[in-house]
Amino acid sequence: MFVLVNLKTYPCDPVAVAEAVRDVNEDTDARVAVAPQATHIERVAETGAETWAQHVDPIEHGSNTGHTIAESVADAGAIGTLINHSEQRRKLADIDGAVQAAQRADLETVVCANNPAQIGAAAALGPDAVAVEPPALIGTGTPVSQADPDIVEDAVEAAENVDSDVSVLCGAGISTGDDVVAAGDLGAEGVLLASGVAKADDPQAALEDLVEPL
Ligand code: G3P
């Protein structure tokens, strides 16, 4: 299973969380990675943790003030990027452009979507993975795998119908190893989570709990 920890703009110490991600990753068969804010990517990548960007824009080098270009996050040490997170929604054409920009910079891609219909559209853009996250469950601590298992199974089916090479992650409310196992049982190949680690008193213990059953 792939466990991708999105730090959003939570006021946690990104380097401390990254060190915990690196250490936990070494002791598990799971793949554990962290997505810090863009300005923290370089320091986080220097820890040796697998580092992802939270977003890239559909742009090339040039006059794009305030944008995030894929080449720069790759230069800073990211190996992948989220695209179209629920808190960073984009139009379909821009999601397509961001996937292409990321691929140009050799970044892995996870395109997020609200529901199975959007997952099908996202999968058609050719990312490495898609992630289904019902917005209403984000940050609630109620895991999508329990509150809405059908949405995960339907997302897996929707992606499979479009392109069986695209992996499916699920996210929202995931915070325990049981939640991760439940996501796997529904057909997801990984989970995307944030508050369960970024807001934990002890992020390392939270990470250890997440991967313990894997
Ligand atoms: O990117 C992960 C996310 O949106 C889910 O957040 O806090 O419910 O794990 P959370």
Side-chain angles (χ1 to χ4, degrees), residues 37-84:
Q37 295 172 48
T39 48
H40 296 155
I41 287 173
E42 194 153 355
R43 281 195 294 142
V44 162
E46 280 168 3
T47 65
E50 181 180 318
T51 304
W52 282 56
Q54 295 179 8
H55 166 78
V56 295
D57 285 303
I59 55 161
E60 299 182 359
H61 285 291
S63 49
N64 301 296
T65 305
H67 288 68
T68 301
I69 186 166
E71 281 79 357
S72 294
V73 303
D75 282 352
I79 65 101
T81 185
L82 297 174
I83 291 168
N84 195 46

mmCIF file of all heavy atoms in Angstrom, residues 37-84:
data_model
loop_
_atom_site.group_PDB
_atom_site.id
_atom_site.type_symbol
_atom_site.label_atom_id
_atom_site.label_comp_id
_atom_site.label_asym_id
_atom_site.label_seq_id
_atom_site.Cartn_x
_atom_site.Cartn_y
_atom_site.Cartn_z
ATOM 1 N N GLN A 37 4.336 21.769 2.053
ATOM 2 C CA GLN A 37 4.127 22.987 1.260
ATOM 3 C C GLN A 37 5.309 23.171 0.302
ATOM 4 O O GLN A 37 6.428 22.729 0.589
ATOM 5 C CB GLN A 37 4.057 24.198 2.184
ATOM 6 C CG GLN A 37 2.867 24.190 3.118
ATOM 7 C CD GLN A 37 2.953 25.321 4.134
ATOM 8 O OE1 GLN A 37 3.204 26.465 3.773
ATOM 9 N NE2 GLN A 37 2.761 24.996 5.390
ATOM 10 N N ALA A 38 5.074 23.872 -0.794
ATOM 11 C CA ALA A 38 6.107 24.026 -1.827
ATOM 12 C C ALA A 38 7.404 24.603 -1.254
ATOM 13 O O ALA A 38 8.505 24.176 -1.615
ATOM 14 C CB ALA A 38 5.588 24.908 -2.958
ATOM 15 N N THR A 39 7.259 25.545 -0.340
ATOM 16 C CA THR A 39 8.457 26.201 0.197
ATOM 17 C C THR A 39 9.264 25.288 1.117
ATOM 18 O O THR A 39 10.387 25.613 1.497
ATOM 19 C CB THR A 39 8.073 27.472 0.980
ATOM 20 O OG1 THR A 39 7.000 27.138 1.861
ATOM 21 C CG2 THR A 39 7.649 28.587 0.036
ATOM 22 N N HIS A 40 8.689 24.163 1.505
ATOM 23 C CA HIS A 40 9.389 23.226 2.394
ATOM 24 C C HIS A 40 9.950 22.003 1.653
ATOM 25 O O HIS A 40 10.596 21.160 2.273
ATOM 26 C CB HIS A 40 8.440 22.739 3.506
ATOM 27 C CG HIS A 40 7.980 23.816 4.427
ATOM 28 N ND1 HIS A 40 6.798 23.747 5.144
ATOM 29 C CD2 HIS A 40 8.520 25.007 4.751
ATOM 30 C CE1 HIS A 40 6.639 24.832 5.864
ATOM 31 N NE2 HIS A 40 7.671 25.625 5.638
ATOM 32 N N ILE A 41 9.689 21.919 0.344
ATOM 33 C CA ILE A 41 10.052 20.693 -0.385
ATOM 34 C C ILE A 41 11.544 20.387 -0.253
ATOM 35 O O ILE A 41 11.944 19.249 0.029
ATOM 36 C CB ILE A 41 9.640 20.795 -1.876
ATOM 37 C CG1 ILE A 41 8.126 20.670 -1.998
ATOM 38 C CG2 ILE A 41 10.331 19.718 -2.708
ATOM 39 C CD1 ILE A 41 7.588 20.915 -3.410
ATOM 40 N N GLU A 42 12.381 21.405 -0.441
ATOM 41 C CA GLU A 42 13.824 21.136 -0.459
ATOM 42 C C GLU A 42 14.307 20.595 0.894
ATOM 43 O O GLU A 42 15.002 19.583 0.956
ATOM 44 C CB GLU A 42 14.582 22.410 -0.826
ATOM 45 C CG GLU A 42 16.010 22.136 -1.181
ATOM 46 C CD GLU A 42 16.584 23.184 -2.130
ATOM 47 O OE1 GLU A 42 15.838 24.073 -2.583
ATOM 48 O OE2 GLU A 42 17.779 23.090 -2.401
ATOM 49 N N ARG A 43 13.887 21.261 1.980
ATOM 50 C CA ARG A 43 14.327 20.810 3.320
ATOM 51 C C ARG A 43 13.784 19.428 3.629
ATOM 52 O O ARG A 43 14.457 18.609 4.266
ATOM 53 C CB ARG A 43 13.856 21.808 4.383
ATOM 54 C CG ARG A 43 14.720 23.049 4.449
ATOM 55 C CD ARG A 43 14.466 23.827 5.719
ATOM 56 N NE ARG A 43 13.123 24.377 5.767
ATOM 57 C CZ ARG A 43 12.375 24.456 6.857
ATOM 58 N NH1 ARG A 43 12.822 23.974 8.007
ATOM 59 N NH2 ARG A 43 11.186 24.988 6.826
ATOM 60 N N VAL A 44 12.560 19.169 3.205
ATOM 61 C CA VAL A 44 11.955 17.856 3.461
ATOM 62 C C VAL A 44 12.674 16.770 2.654
ATOM 63 O O VAL A 44 13.002 15.696 3.164
ATOM 64 C CB VAL A 44 10.440 17.908 3.140
ATOM 65 C CG1 VAL A 44 9.860 16.517 2.954
ATOM 66 C CG2 VAL A 44 9.710 18.649 4.257
ATOM 67 N N ALA A 45 12.953 17.058 1.380
ATOM 68 C CA ALA A 45 13.620 16.058 0.528
ATOM 69 C C ALA A 45 15.013 15.734 1.065
ATOM 70 O O ALA A 45 15.483 14.600 0.957
ATOM 71 C CB ALA A 45 13.703 16.573 -0.904
ATOM 72 N N GLU A 46 15.675 16.738 1.659
ATOM 73 C CA GLU A 46 17.021 16.495 2.204
ATOM 74 C C GLU A 46 17.038 15.481 3.343
ATOM 75 O O GLU A 46 18.077 14.917 3.669
ATOM 76 C CB GLU A 46 17.637 17.821 2.687
ATOM 77 C CG GLU A 46 18.203 18.648 1.540
ATOM 78 C CD GLU A 46 18.554 20.079 1.944
ATOM 79 O OE1 GLU A 46 18.401 20.413 3.145
ATOM 80 O OE2 GLU A 46 18.953 20.838 1.049
ATOM 81 N N THR A 47 15.878 15.227 3.957
ATOM 82 C CA THR A 47 15.837 14.217 5.037
ATOM 83 C C THR A 47 15.957 12.800 4.476
ATOM 84 O O THR A 47 16.230 11.862 5.216
ATOM 85 C CB THR A 47 14.501 14.276 5.823
ATOM 86 O OG1 THR A 47 13.433 13.898 4.936
ATOM 87 C CG2 THR A 47 14.244 15.656 6.406
ATOM 88 N N GLY A 48 15.703 12.668 3.169
ATOM 89 C CA GLY A 48 15.697 11.328 2.571
ATOM 90 C C GLY A 48 14.305 10.748 2.469
ATOM 91 O O GLY A 48 14.122 9.659 1.921
ATOM 92 N N ALA A 49 13.296 11.458 2.999
ATOM 93 C CA ALA A 49 11.906 10.982 2.863
ATOM 94 C C ALA A 49 11.449 11.168 1.420
ATOM 95 O O ALA A 49 11.850 12.132 0.754
ATOM 96 C CB ALA A 49 10.982 11.779 3.791
ATOM 97 N N GLU A 50 10.612 10.243 0.945
ATOM 98 C CA GLU A 50 10.030 10.426 -0.392
ATOM 99 C C GLU A 50 9.117 11.651 -0.341
ATOM 100 O O GLU A 50 8.196 11.719 0.476
ATOM 101 C CB GLU A 50 9.235 9.186 -0.808
ATOM 102 C CG GLU A 50 8.652 9.367 -2.209
ATOM 103 C CD GLU A 50 7.847 8.167 -2.685
ATOM 104 O OE1 GLU A 50 8.281 7.021 -2.463
ATOM 105 O OE2 GLU A 50 6.777 8.404 -3.273
ATOM 106 N N THR A 51 9.390 12.609 -1.221
ATOM 107 C CA THR A 51 8.759 13.930 -1.115
ATOM 108 C C THR A 51 7.903 14.225 -2.346
ATOM 109 O O THR A 51 8.341 14.027 -3.482
ATOM 110 C CB THR A 51 9.848 15.008 -0.959
ATOM 111 O OG1 THR A 51 10.656 14.662 0.172
ATOM 112 C CG2 THR A 51 9.248 16.384 -0.758
ATOM 113 N N TRP A 52 6.705 14.705 -2.095
ATOM 114 C CA TRP A 52 5.759 15.072 -3.151
ATOM 115 C C TRP A 52 5.377 16.537 -3.017
ATOM 116 O O TRP A 52 5.396 17.097 -1.915
ATOM 117 C CB TRP A 52 4.491 14.218 -3.041
ATOM 118 C CG TRP A 52 4.652 12.828 -3.581
ATOM 119 C CD1 TRP A 52 5.581 11.900 -3.202
ATOM 120 C CD2 TRP A 52 3.873 12.222 -4.615
ATOM 121 N NE1 TRP A 52 5.429 10.759 -3.935
ATOM 122 C CE2 TRP A 52 4.381 10.920 -4.809
ATOM 123 C CE3 TRP A 52 2.794 12.643 -5.384
ATOM 124 C CZ2 TRP A 52 3.843 10.041 -5.754
ATOM 125 C CZ3 TRP A 52 2.252 11.769 -6.328
ATOM 126 C CH2 TRP A 52 2.784 10.485 -6.501
ATOM 127 N N ALA A 53 5.013 17.139 -4.155
ATOM 128 C CA ALA A 53 4.424 18.481 -4.139
ATOM 129 C C ALA A 53 2.913 18.345 -3.927
ATOM 130 O O ALA A 53 2.327 17.313 -4.240
ATOM 131 C CB ALA A 53 4.707 19.180 -5.464
ATOM 132 N N GLN A 54 2.313 19.402 -3.398
ATOM 133 C CA GLN A 54 0.853 19.384 -3.199
ATOM 134 C C GLN A 54 0.107 19.835 -4.456
ATOM 135 O O GLN A 54 -1.108 19.655 -4.567
ATOM 136 C CB GLN A 54 0.481 20.305 -2.039
ATOM 137 C CG GLN A 54 1.030 19.848 -0.703
ATOM 138 C CD GLN A 54 0.662 20.796 0.436
ATOM 139 O OE1 GLN A 54 -0.131 21.730 0.266
ATOM 140 N NE2 GLN A 54 1.253 20.569 1.599
ATOM 141 N N HIS A 55 0.868 20.447 -5.402
ATOM 142 C CA HIS A 55 0.214 21.052 -6.566
ATOM 143 C C HIS A 55 1.285 21.488 -7.563
ATOM 144 O O HIS A 55 2.377 21.893 -7.151
ATOM 145 C CB HIS A 55 -0.575 22.291 -6.092
ATOM 146 C CG HIS A 55 -1.030 23.191 -7.184
ATOM 147 N ND1 HIS A 55 -2.113 22.920 -7.977
ATOM 148 C CD2 HIS A 55 -0.538 24.373 -7.633
ATOM 149 C CE1 HIS A 55 -2.281 23.883 -8.856
ATOM 150 N NE2 HIS A 55 -1.335 24.787 -8.674
ATOM 151 N N VAL A 56 0.992 21.396 -8.862
ATOM 152 C CA VAL A 56 1.782 22.125 -9.869
ATOM 153 C C VAL A 56 0.803 22.757 -10.847
ATOM 154 O O VAL A 56 -0.310 22.261 -11.046
ATOM 155 C CB VAL A 56 2.792 21.234 -10.644
ATOM 156 C CG1 VAL A 56 3.862 20.688 -9.730
ATOM 157 C CG2 VAL A 56 2.090 20.121 -11.412
ATOM 158 N N ASP A 57 1.233 23.848 -11.451
ATOM 159 C CA ASP A 57 0.380 24.546 -12.422
ATOM 160 C C ASP A 57 0.671 24.046 -13.842
ATOM 161 O O ASP A 57 1.774 23.566 -14.128
ATOM 162 C CB ASP A 57 0.640 26.058 -12.334
ATOM 163 C CG ASP A 57 0.010 26.656 -11.095
ATOM 164 O OD1 ASP A 57 -1.213 26.502 -10.934
ATOM 165 O OD2 ASP A 57 0.736 27.237 -10.267
ATOM 166 N N PRO A 58 -0.310 24.247 -14.737
ATOM 167 C CA PRO A 58 -0.140 23.797 -16.130
ATOM 168 C C PRO A 58 0.634 24.828 -16.954
ATOM 169 O O PRO A 58 0.106 25.428 -17.882
ATOM 170 C CB PRO A 58 -1.589 23.671 -16.621
ATOM 171 C CG PRO A 58 -2.341 24.679 -15.830
ATOM 172 C CD PRO A 58 -1.670 24.756 -14.487
ATOM 173 N N ILE A 59 1.889 25.040 -16.606
ATOM 174 C CA ILE A 59 2.675 26.113 -17.239
ATOM 175 C C ILE A 59 4.064 25.602 -17.625
ATOM 176 O O ILE A 59 4.520 24.565 -17.159
ATOM 177 C CB ILE A 59 2.859 27.311 -16.278
ATOM 178 C CG1 ILE A 59 3.485 26.843 -14.957
ATOM 179 C CG2 ILE A 59 1.548 28.028 -16.044
ATOM 180 C CD1 ILE A 59 4.108 27.941 -14.152
ATOM 181 N N GLU A 60 4.717 26.403 -18.468
ATOM 182 C CA GLU A 60 6.134 26.189 -18.784
ATOM 183 C C GLU A 60 6.894 27.386 -18.239
ATOM 184 O O GLU A 60 6.301 28.351 -17.751
ATOM 185 C CB GLU A 60 6.309 26.089 -20.298
ATOM 186 C CG GLU A 60 5.544 24.923 -20.892
ATOM 187 C CD GLU A 60 5.743 24.776 -22.388
ATOM 188 O OE1 GLU A 60 6.476 25.596 -22.985
ATOM 189 O OE2 GLU A 60 5.159 23.842 -22.947
ATOM 190 N N HIS A 61 8.233 27.366 -18.339
ATOM 191 C CA HIS A 61 9.022 28.518 -17.914
ATOM 192 C C HIS A 61 8.547 29.761 -18.651
ATOM 193 O O HIS A 61 8.252 29.711 -19.842
ATOM 194 C CB HIS A 61 10.514 28.288 -18.226
ATOM 195 C CG HIS A 61 11.162 27.319 -17.282
ATOM 196 N ND1 HIS A 61 11.390 27.612 -15.951
ATOM 197 C CD2 HIS A 61 11.629 26.067 -17.479
ATOM 198 C CE1 HIS A 61 11.971 26.574 -15.370
ATOM 199 N NE2 HIS A 61 12.123 25.615 -16.271
ATOM 200 N N GLY A 62 8.473 30.893 -17.957
ATOM 201 C CA GLY A 62 8.055 32.114 -18.632
ATOM 202 C C GLY A 62 7.373 33.075 -17.682
ATOM 203 O O GLY A 62 7.658 33.095 -16.478
ATOM 204 N N SER A 63 6.464 33.867 -18.219
ATOM 205 C CA SER A 63 5.829 34.930 -17.424
ATOM 206 C C SER A 63 4.586 34.378 -16.721
ATOM 207 O O SER A 63 3.475 34.473 -17.230
ATOM 208 C CB SER A 63 5.469 36.108 -18.335
ATOM 209 O OG SER A 63 4.786 35.631 -19.473
ATOM 210 N N ASN A 64 4.805 33.786 -15.557
ATOM 211 C CA ASN A 64 3.727 33.130 -14.802
ATOM 212 C C ASN A 64 3.865 33.460 -13.315
ATOM 213 O O ASN A 64 4.061 32.573 -12.479
ATOM 214 C CB ASN A 64 3.802 31.612 -14.988
ATOM 215 C CG ASN A 64 3.678 31.187 -16.434
ATOM 216 O OD1 ASN A 64 2.658 31.380 -17.060
ATOM 217 N ND2 ASN A 64 4.749 30.631 -16.974
ATOM 218 N N THR A 65 3.764 34.748 -12.979
ATOM 219 C CA THR A 65 3.970 35.189 -11.598
ATOM 220 C C THR A 65 3.082 34.440 -10.599
ATOM 221 O O THR A 65 1.880 34.298 -10.827
ATOM 222 C CB THR A 65 3.660 36.699 -11.485
ATOM 223 O OG1 THR A 65 4.450 37.387 -12.442
ATOM 224 C CG2 THR A 65 3.967 37.215 -10.079
ATOM 225 N N GLY A 66 3.707 33.948 -9.550
ATOM 226 C CA GLY A 66 2.950 33.317 -8.474
ATOM 227 C C GLY A 66 2.564 31.876 -8.728
ATOM 228 O O GLY A 66 1.899 31.267 -7.899
ATOM 229 N N HIS A 67 2.972 31.333 -9.865
ATOM 230 C CA HIS A 67 2.628 29.943 -10.174
ATOM 231 C C HIS A 67 3.707 28.992 -9.659
ATOM 232 O O HIS A 67 4.814 29.404 -9.331
ATOM 233 C CB HIS A 67 2.470 29.752 -11.684
ATOM 234 C CG HIS A 67 1.227 30.378 -12.233
ATOM 235 N ND1 HIS A 67 1.043 31.746 -12.286
ATOM 236 C CD2 HIS A 67 0.107 29.831 -12.754
ATOM 237 C CE1 HIS A 67 -0.139 32.002 -12.816
ATOM 238 N NE2 HIS A 67 -0.736 30.855 -13.113
ATOM 239 N N THR A 68 3.353 27.708 -9.641
ATOM 240 C CA THR A 68 4.317 26.668 -9.260
ATOM 241 C C THR A 68 4.596 25.813 -10.484
ATOM 242 O O THR A 68 3.680 25.179 -11.028
ATOM 243 C CB THR A 68 3.734 25.800 -8.129
ATOM 244 O OG1 THR A 68 3.444 26.647 -7.017
ATOM 245 C CG2 THR A 68 4.733 24.735 -7.703
ATOM 246 N N ILE A 69 5.853 25.818 -10.918
ATOM 247 C CA ILE A 69 6.212 25.080 -12.124
ATOM 248 C C ILE A 69 6.775 23.705 -11.742
ATOM 249 O O ILE A 69 7.531 23.565 -10.765
ATOM 250 C CB ILE A 69 7.200 25.897 -12.993
ATOM 251 C CG1 ILE A 69 7.465 25.185 -14.321
ATOM 252 C CG2 ILE A 69 8.492 26.211 -12.270
ATOM 253 C CD1 ILE A 69 8.140 26.079 -15.355
ATOM 254 N N ALA A 70 6.404 22.695 -12.510
ATOM 255 C CA ALA A 70 6.787 21.317 -12.180
ATOM 256 C C ALA A 70 8.305 21.154 -12.099
ATOM 257 O O ALA A 70 8.819 20.463 -11.206
ATOM 258 C CB ALA A 70 6.198 20.366 -13.227
ATOM 259 N N GLU A 71 9.022 21.784 -13.015
ATOM 260 C CA GLU A 71 10.484 21.633 -13.020
ATOM 261 C C GLU A 71 11.096 22.104 -11.697
ATOM 262 O O GLU A 71 12.087 21.527 -11.220
ATOM 263 C CB GLU A 71 11.111 22.428 -14.176
ATOM 264 C CG GLU A 71 11.016 21.748 -15.532
ATOM 265 C CD GLU A 71 9.650 21.878 -16.208
ATOM 266 O OE1 GLU A 71 8.730 22.462 -15.604
ATOM 267 O OE2 GLU A 71 9.517 21.368 -17.342
ATOM 268 N N SER A 72 10.527 23.154 -11.109
ATOM 269 C CA SER A 72 11.112 23.676 -9.866
ATOM 270 C C SER A 72 10.868 22.747 -8.689
ATOM 271 O O SER A 72 11.754 22.572 -7.841
ATOM 272 C CB SER A 72 10.539 25.063 -9.545
ATOM 273 O OG SER A 72 10.966 25.963 -10.526
ATOM 274 N N VAL A 73 9.686 22.134 -8.620
ATOM 275 C CA VAL A 73 9.462 21.216 -7.503
ATOM 276 C C VAL A 73 10.312 19.959 -7.689
ATOM 277 O O VAL A 73 10.800 19.383 -6.717
ATOM 278 C CB VAL A 73 7.966 20.889 -7.258
ATOM 279 C CG1 VAL A 73 7.156 22.136 -7.026
ATOM 280 C CG2 VAL A 73 7.354 20.076 -8.349
ATOM 281 N N ALA A 74 10.528 19.571 -8.947
ATOM 282 C CA ALA A 74 11.411 18.415 -9.202
ATOM 283 C C ALA A 74 12.854 18.777 -8.824
ATOM 284 O O ALA A 74 13.547 17.985 -8.168
ATOM 285 C CB ALA A 74 11.324 17.991 -10.666
ATOM 286 N N ASP A 75 13.298 19.979 -9.193
ATOM 287 C CA ASP A 75 14.658 20.416 -8.831
ATOM 288 C C ASP A 75 14.832 20.472 -7.315
ATOM 289 O O ASP A 75 15.907 20.207 -6.788
ATOM 290 C CB ASP A 75 14.944 21.823 -9.379
ATOM 291 C CG ASP A 75 15.263 21.790 -10.863
ATOM 292 O OD1 ASP A 75 15.414 20.675 -11.399
ATOM 293 O OD2 ASP A 75 15.328 22.876 -11.469
ATOM 294 N N ALA A 76 13.752 20.817 -6.613
ATOM 295 C CA ALA A 76 13.825 20.929 -5.150
ATOM 296 C C ALA A 76 13.845 19.554 -4.480
ATOM 297 O O ALA A 76 14.129 19.448 -3.287
ATOM 298 C CB ALA A 76 12.648 21.753 -4.640
ATOM 299 N N GLY A 77 13.517 18.510 -5.240
ATOM 300 C CA GLY A 77 13.625 17.162 -4.668
ATOM 301 C C GLY A 77 12.334 16.368 -4.649
ATOM 302 O O GLY A 77 12.325 15.226 -4.178
ATOM 303 N N ALA A 78 11.243 16.956 -5.150
ATOM 304 C CA ALA A 78 9.992 16.181 -5.197
ATOM 305 C C ALA A 78 10.079 15.131 -6.300
ATOM 306 O O ALA A 78 10.685 15.372 -7.345
ATOM 307 C CB ALA A 78 8.810 17.109 -5.458
ATOM 308 N N ILE A 79 9.455 13.972 -6.038
ATOM 309 C CA ILE A 79 9.430 12.937 -7.087
ATOM 310 C C ILE A 79 8.018 12.761 -7.647
ATOM 311 O O ILE A 79 7.826 12.006 -8.590
ATOM 312 C CB ILE A 79 10.001 11.590 -6.577
ATOM 313 C CG1 ILE A 79 9.116 10.993 -5.480
ATOM 314 C CG2 ILE A 79 11.430 11.735 -6.091
ATOM 315 C CD1 ILE A 79 8.247 9.905 -5.993
ATOM 316 N N GLY A 80 7.055 13.459 -7.048
ATOM 317 C CA GLY A 80 5.688 13.349 -7.532
ATOM 318 C C GLY A 80 4.885 14.563 -7.111
ATOM 319 O O GLY A 80 5.365 15.406 -6.340
ATOM 320 N N THR A 81 3.659 14.639 -7.625
ATOM 321 C CA THR A 81 2.801 15.763 -7.238
ATOM 322 C C THR A 81 1.330 15.363 -7.215
ATOM 323 O O THR A 81 0.880 14.557 -8.037
ATOM 324 C CB THR A 81 2.984 16.962 -8.192
ATOM 325 O OG1 THR A 81 2.213 18.072 -7.691
ATOM 326 C CG2 THR A 81 2.539 16.659 -9.619
ATOM 327 N N LEU A 82 0.611 15.933 -6.245
ATOM 328 C CA LEU A 82 -0.844 15.903 -6.283
ATOM 329 C C LEU A 82 -1.299 16.913 -7.325
ATOM 330 O O LEU A 82 -0.612 17.919 -7.568
ATOM 331 C CB LEU A 82 -1.426 16.309 -4.917
ATOM 332 C CG LEU A 82 -1.106 15.416 -3.727
ATOM 333 C CD1 LEU A 82 -1.654 16.059 -2.447
ATOM 334 C CD2 LEU A 82 -1.719 14.041 -3.934
ATOM 335 N N ILE A 83 -2.446 16.672 -7.910
ATOM 336 C CA ILE A 83 -3.057 17.611 -8.857
ATOM 337 C C ILE A 83 -4.546 17.629 -8.554
ATOM 338 O O ILE A 83 -5.153 16.578 -8.321
ATOM 339 C CB ILE A 83 -2.792 17.163 -10.320
ATOM 340 C CG1 ILE A 83 -1.294 17.318 -10.652
ATOM 341 C CG2 ILE A 83 -3.640 17.954 -11.311
ATOM 342 C CD1 ILE A 83 -0.869 16.648 -11.953
ATOM 343 N N ASN A 84 -5.140 18.848 -8.556
ATOM 344 C CA ASN A 84 -6.593 18.966 -8.371
ATOM 345 C C ASN A 84 -7.072 18.468 -7.003
ATOM 346 O O ASN A 84 -8.138 17.862 -6.889
ATOM 347 C CB ASN A 84 -7.340 18.215 -9.485
ATOM 348 C CG ASN A 84 -8.802 18.607 -9.561
ATOM 349 O OD1 ASN A 84 -9.133 19.793 -9.527
ATOM 350 N ND2 ASN A 84 -9.682 17.631 -9.649
#
